[in-house]
Structure formats: structure tokens, C-alpha cells
Amino acid sequence: MKKTFLVAGTDGSKTIEAEQLATFAHYIQNVQYRFVVTRVPGDNSIGVTHRNSGKRVCTIAYGSVAAAANDYKVAGLSALQALVTKVGEARVASALRAAE
């Protein structure tokens, strides 16, 4: 049986039921945030979703999933770390705090 998780729609409310592929926690600026790796039906992309808000944080490339030997947790953490490296820890943490 597939696990599901409600993700935010375009208006920001948690309305779309997505497939939950993995969960993990990660510290950003010494604060622990929880994430869910999700796939929305009808959309082939896989993404890292902020657990509290249901908002997508970043997309995971299929090559990253393959490189992680289909371990969605590892691929999700790698995508999140790449985002933090690209835009900075302060910006990511600020966006996550605002989403909560």
C-alpha cells in the first residue's frame, strides 16, 4: 500500500494528495526541519516537500535518484543540500520559517 501526504496546491493550501516516497530531517542554521520526498499524481517529477507547510522546496533530478541507488531519502537530502549551496543557508531557512 502506498503512503500519501497532502501537499500544497498553487494557492498554498494543502489540497493535493501525493505519494510519499521517503521522509528525513535536516538541520539548517541549527534548526531541525522535517521533509517528505513526494511525487504528485499526473506529474512525473519527484520533489522535496516541507512537512509542516506541504510546500515543495526543490525538485530531485532522476539522475540523482539513480546515483543514490533509488534511495529517495539520500536523493532528497542531496537535492536539499544542493539548494542550500546554491542560494545560501540563510535564504532557505528564512523561506522555511515563513512557510511554517
Side-chain angles (χ1 to χ4, degrees):
M1 184 164 98
K2 292 182 182 179
K3 283 187 160 187
T4 59
F5 180 77
L6 289 180
V7 297
T10 54
D11 64 355
S13 63
K14 293 183 187 179
T15 58
I16 302 167
E17 194 169 295
E19 180 180 2
Q20 177 180 314
L21 303 170
T23 61
F24 66 94
H26 185 66
Y27 283 89
I28 300 173
Q29 288 195 325
N30 298 317
V31 176
Q32 184 184 56
Y33 294 96
R34 296 178 53 147
F35 301 94
V36 181
V37 178
T38 58
R39 179 177 21 228
V40 176
D43 180 0
N44 288 331
S45 67
I46 299 169
V48 175
T49 303
H50 180 232
R51 181 179 272 300
N52 288 350
S53 68
K55 293 183 178 181
R56 182 172 277 197
V57 176
C58 60
T59 301
I60 303 170
Y62 282 105
S64 296
V65 175
N70 291 325
D71 186 329
Y72 291 107
K73 179 179 176 180
V74 171
L77 181 57
S78 176
L80 179 62
Q81 289 172 328
L83 176 68
V84 168
T85 299
K86 180 179 177 181
V87 302
E89 200 174 27
R91 184 171 172 192
V92 174
S94 175
L96 292 172
R97 281 191 305 272
E100 291 184 331

